[in-house]
Amino acid sequence: MWEYTDKVKEHFLNPRNVGEVENPDGVATVGSLACGDALKLTFKLDENGRITDARFKTFGCASAIASASALTEMIKGMTVEEAAKVTNQDIANFLGGLPEEKMHCSVMGREALEAAIAHYRGEPAPTEEGKIICECFGVTEEEIARVVRENNLRTIEEVTNYTKAGGGCGGCHEAIQEIIDRVRGEGKAVTRPKLSNIQKIKMIEETIDREIRPLLQQDGGDLELIDVVGNRVLVATRGACASCAASQLTMKQVVEAKLRELVWPELEVEEVSQ
Amino acid sequence: MKPIYLDNNATSQVAPEVLEAMLPFLQDFYGNPSSMHTFGGQVGRRVSQAREQVANLLGAAPDEIIFTSCGTESDNTAIRSALATNPGKRHIITTRVEHPAVLSLTARLAQEGYRVTELPVDAEGRLNLEQYAKSLSPDTAIVSLMWANNETGVIFPVEEAAALAHNRGILFHTDAVQAVGKIPIDLRKNSIDMLSLSGHKLHAPKGVGALYVRKGTRFSPFLVGGHQEKGRRGGTENVPSIIALGLACDLAGQKMETENTVVKALRDKLENSLLIKVPRCRVNGDRTQRLPNTSNISFEFVEGEAILLRLNEYAICASSGSACTSGSLQPSHVLRAMGVPFTMAHGSIRFSLSIYNTEKDIDAVIDTMPGIIENLRALSPYWEVGDSICAGVEG
């Protein structure tokens, strides 16, 4: 059973603004019967461009109905420009949160709102453009990228929770991962290739051999790689280093700095006694 | 508020007599049945008695019953055992509508290199025996077909299927978790090699099951440990639950007639009334070859979770095959295998009754359901244009 907040339950059992506005200024339907949920949103503006009435019809589960009900309550009284800024997170927050697996209900609300605004402005519906990534649920690249960006998503599972993409046959998981990587790489100066653990260990060993060991051996010391746990590099000192008081400093300033520069910027070197 | 419990295929109430019978084994009689002293030995005798009770319900010999922790363990044990004792054979036959206890395992076995045939079903959830017979091959190690489907209640002709497999020297297993206690089973009259059952579906507690293994069937244990269950399943016996399962099987035998007359009549009343009172709904699954307690009804253009949570307001408990309730994003694999259209699959509700249901329970559902469906349809963007949409998405 889902853990719904009282507010979700309340909006599900007593949904507000059910139906359709007559002669709407904006109207849109998103989702489909095949997907298991759908939302038709209509709204009417007053002479100042404020939403005076908004109504919905939803086919879907409790949180889909509650999200649509919440959305109509939120946008009443807003200008179109204000409404255009409503995010799926705003809808979820209005309801006191949604279960992770149900976040796609809030996304459906935001998509319907956007499409209805686009209809009002005479623009094409934003979600209809772009390449389809998830064939099972008809989710586009742009939709996925946007949800990843706005909700700071990190995993395929999260993308599935928010958009349903990847929740069917699973054939698009690789493509979703690429979108996640691309979006998360945005704004960073350099994009690094992902390292497997084995690649990482190999690069650390090579770097120690090539760059670090010769330095230490000049002073009669040495270093041995014991283990790599995530980004923690466990090393043991040998020879003169083992009894040298300054070796701790060397660890941070030389070994860690070199490894961070040449292998992975988040590495941390720790000395273990072995 | 006491719930109106119509979700007995998910789990069932522990029978009061069963609870009473198991309690002493959680209190005074805590001995280990394997012990040499009388204190433990007397418990061992009660375990033997329970084994006889389970065997009696199935028409089996006590030696052919292995106690397990659940139906899933029984299924896993049976299939793994068949593969281990037939190392040269690499083919498994099952169906698309099996319980995950079988389908998740066969999916894993497929990854391990076994060839898995998942037989389809028709729109009524029935198996095509001819197609099944053709799928049997000299390389087939095991056939695993469920006796009755948990979602629709549809009964497979497992006895005929077992005979066909047996003639070719192929082991036959049936997941009878939903069938045991609801329809008569007599293993003396067929050639089924292995059968799984689960306690909590027939008014025993959760955490106990059994696997029937026909005498003479080569067997390889799943849980390896002590000499319990004659070395076929290691682990100290779950004595209180085994005692409970024994009595539950006894009671199920006594109530078999009630199940197939009284419970069936209640189910039929519920089903027929809803079909009359609610427009655009239909029954999923073959109504002629079906468990007496199960009814799976689809209500078009509404979504199952929403129906269940509205029913919940009236303390009515049922299940749904909709995507939102399955934990995945797609509707039930059983309804999809039957080709139930999406308009119907998302709005499917399973009612599963037991001997503890009353006419009052059923009347309450008949009174409540039409209003809930009407209300949710008023919310649905598809309802007014129902007919045209339906034609577009069916298939």
Side-chain angles (χ1 to χ4, degrees):
Chain A
M1 189 162 185
W2 302 111
E3 290 296 328
Y4 287 133
T5 63
D6 288 343
K7 197 141 187 203
V8 171
K9 287 182 205 158
E10 212 270 313
H11 273 265
F12 163 62
L13 293 172
N14 305 296
R16 325 287 199 272
N17 313 310
V18 174
E20 290 181 37
V21 177
E22 268 183 51
N23 303 317
D25 292 306
V27 56
T29 305
V30 296
S32 75
L33 272 169
C35 291
D37 48 20
L39 166 57
K40 182 174 187 181
L41 179 70
T42 50
F43 67 75
K44 185 113 192 118
L45 302 175
D46 67 9
E47 61 276 12
N48 303 320
R50 280 190 186 276
I51 296 171
T52 50
D53 198 6
R55 293 186 178 271
F56 80 94
K57 282 196 154 191
T58 292
F59 161 76
C61 58
S63 52
I65 291 169
S67 293
S69 171
L71 172 67
T72 54
E73 285 287 276
M74 288 166 71
I75 61 172
K76 277 207 277 184
M78 283 185 175
T79 64
V80 171
E81 289 69 32
E82 286 165 347
K85 289 182 190 142
V86 170
T87 65
N88 72 285
Q89 201 60 54
D90 294 334
I91 298 170
N93 290 346
F94 182 90
L95 291 167
L98 285 171
E100 269 294 295
E101 296 89 339
K102 293 285 190 175
M103 283 302 289
H104 60 82
C105 295
S106 68
V107 173
M108 181 168 76
R110 195 260 295 147
E111 282 175 356
L113 175 60
E114 242 173 24
I117 292 172
H119 168 261
Y120 160 70
R121 288 173 172 163
E123 297 163 0
T127 51
E128 283 167 13
E129 293 171 342
K131 188 175 134 205
I132 300 266
I133 297 293
C134 170
E135 302 270 350
C136 296
F137 293 103
V139 189
T140 64
E141 181 165 8
E142 198 40 51
E143 279 177 80
I144 296 171
R146 172 151 184 204
V147 170
V148 169
R149 203 173 292 129
E150 289 185 351
N151 296 278
N152 196 26
L153 305 184
R154 291 162 188 274
T155 65
I156 296 168
E157 192 188 341
E158 286 175 340
V159 169
T160 305
N161 287 340
Y162 279 68
T163 65
K164 294 193 179 184
C169 70
C172 60
H173 282 188
E174 212 168 297
I176 293 174
Q177 187 64 54
E178 277 170 23
I179 296 171
I180 296 171
D181 292 344
R182 176 167 60 74
V183 172
R184 293 191 66 80
E186 285 171 3
K188 288 182 190 167
V190 275
T191 52
R192 294 183 308 265
K194 229 174 125 66
L195 284 184
S196 74
N197 234 8
I198 291 174
Q199 285 172 320
K200 203 188 273 177
I201 292 169
K202 216 171 142 213
M203 283 177 74
I204 290 169
E205 273 190 322
E206 284 169 4
T207 307
I208 289 174
D209 274 350
R210 195 178 59 239
E211 305 280 337
I212 298 168
R213 190 161 283 134
L215 285 175
L216 299 178
Q217 284 171 345
Q218 284 175 7
D219 295 325
D222 203 355
L223 184 75
E224 195 183 335
L225 179 64
I226 303 297
D227 201 356
V228 177
V229 184
N231 283 327
R232 291 165 58 217
V233 181
L234 309 183
V235 295
T237 48
R238 299 281 184 252
C241 288
S243 53
C244 172
S247 73
Q248 194 57 41
L249 209 59
T250 312
M251 272 307 161
K252 286 282 165 201
Q253 289 189 344
V254 179
V255 182
E256 188 171 279
K258 274 278 176 217
L259 291 176
R260 282 184 173 188
E261 181 196 334
L262 297 169
V263 183
W264 192 255
E266 281 142 40
L267 292 179
E268 282 184 33
V269 174
E270 289 175 34
E271 194 180 337
V272 292
S273 52
Q274 266 199 40
Chain B
M1 183 156 43
K2 191 169 177 284
I4 295 173
Y5 192 76
L6 300 170
D7 204 9
N8 287 277
N9 287 12
T11 194
S12 66
Q13 176 192 336
V14 175
E17 307 91 308
V18 167
L19 176 66
E20 201 182 329
M22 71 187 287
L23 282 178
F25 298 89
L26 288 163
Q27 295 164 332
D28 300 333
F29 300 102
Y30 54 81
N32 189 323
S34 301
S35 296
M36 282 300 120
H37 40 70
T38 313
F39 183 63
Q42 63 186 352
V43 173
R45 275 197 296 282
R46 291 300 303 274
V47 169
S48 301
Q49 192 192 337
R51 199 183 305 280
E52 281 168 29
Q53 288 170 315
V54 175
N56 279 343
L57 181 66
L58 303 174
D63 274 1
E64 296 174 318
I65 303 298
I66 301 169
F67 288 116
T68 64
S69 66
C70 57
T72 299
E73 187 195 325
S74 299
D75 288 340
N76 273 257
T77 304
I79 293 170
R80 290 273 188 198
S81 168
L83 299 176
T85 55
N86 290 279
K89 297 182 174 183
R90 307 288 291 172
H91 181 220
I92 302 163
I93 298 173
T94 185
T95 77
R96 287 189 195 158
V97 297
E98 297 297 311
H99 190 273
V102 170
L103 281 183
S104 302
L105 173 62
T106 53
R108 175 167 291 211
L109 291 166
Q111 286 178 351
E112 291 174 20
Y114 288 93
R115 193 161 58 84
V116 177
T117 300
E118 281 182 12
L119 294 166
V121 293
D122 68 8
E124 302 290 304
R126 290 172 301 209
L127 198 65
N128 180 333
L129 265 187
E130 257 174 59
Q131 191 180 7
Y132 158 73
K134 279 185 198 151
S135 71
L136 297 168
S137 88
D139 191 38
T140 309
I142 177 132
V143 176
S144 181
L145 307 185
M146 66 202 323
W147 199 308
N149 188 273
N150 49 314
E151 292 189 26
T152 60
V154 171
I155 295 169
F156 278 161
V158 284
E159 294 178 307
E160 290 94 317
L164 289 166
H166 215 252
N167 289 344
R168 294 167 175 243
I170 298 166
L171 283 174
F172 188 92
H173 164 253
T174 181
D175 176 342
V177 163
Q178 295 293 347
V180 172
K182 293 180 192 141
I183 51 172
I185 289 175
D186 189 348
L187 291 164
R188 284 166 298 204
K189 292 184 181 161
N190 59 51
S191 51
I192 291 166
D193 297 295
M194 291 184 275
L195 175 147
S196 301
L197 67 91
S198 170
H200 74 109
K201 310 286 194 198
L202 65 150
H203 307 299
K206 294 152 194 73
V208 66
L211 175 65
Y212 159 86
V213 181
R214 187 175 291 276
K215 201 168 278 180
T217 306
R218 279 183 300 153
F219 184 79
S220 168
F222 187 65
L223 274 188
V224 180
H227 59 270
Q228 296 90 352
E229 305 296 306
K230 301 204 164 155
R232 294 174 297 179
R233 200 268 188 185
T236 300
E237 298 86 342
N238 178 1
V239 173
S241 295
I242 287 172
I243 307 283
L245 177 59
L247 182 56
C249 284
D250 224 21
L251 293 173
Q254 293 169 32
K255 306 273 186 185
M256 191 68 74
E257 185 69 26
T258 310
E259 184 83 36
N260 286 276
T261 52
V262 179
V263 175
K264 183 171 184 290
L266 288 178
R267 188 274 313 268
D268 289 343
K269 178 181 179 182
L270 172 65
E271 191 169 271
N272 292 329
S273 304
L274 290 179
L275 289 175
I276 291 166
K277 290 182 84 170
V278 183
R280 301 212 54 155
C281 61
R282 68 165 214 190
V283 173
N284 294 313
D286 181 4
R287 295 177 74 180
T288 60
Q289 289 299 314
R290 194 166 51 147
L291 293 176
N293 79 318
T294 308
S295 175
N296 189 313
I297 307 178
S298 279
F299 300 91
E300 210 168 9
F301 304 121
V302 284
E303 198 279 331
E305 184 202 289
I307 301 171
L308 290 182
L309 293 182
R310 290 283 171 99
L311 282 172
N312 192 49
E313 290 298 300
Y314 299 87
I316 296 170
C317 309
S319 283
S320 168
S322 86
C324 286
T325 55
S326 66
S328 79
L329 290 166
Q330 294 191 320
S332 121
H333 70 287
V334 175
L335 300 182
R336 274 186 288 144
M338 290 161 64
V340 174
F342 281 120
T343 54
M344 289 285 189
H346 286 295
S348 75
I349 298 292
R350 177 190 70 188
F351 297 104
S352 48
L353 286 64
S354 84
I355 51 168
Y356 295 109
N357 288 122
T358 62
E359 184 126 25
K360 219 175 125 199
D361 292 345
I362 301 306
D363 289 341
V365 180
I366 295 169
D367 287 344
T368 312
M369 199 68 180
I372 289 176
I373 300 299
E374 199 186 323
N375 192 288
L376 288 173
R377 279 177 176 167
L379 284 176
S380 172
Y382 296 118
W383 178 234
E384 286 160 333
V385 288
D387 291 72
S388 57
I389 292 278
C390 186
V393 296
E394 235 168 294

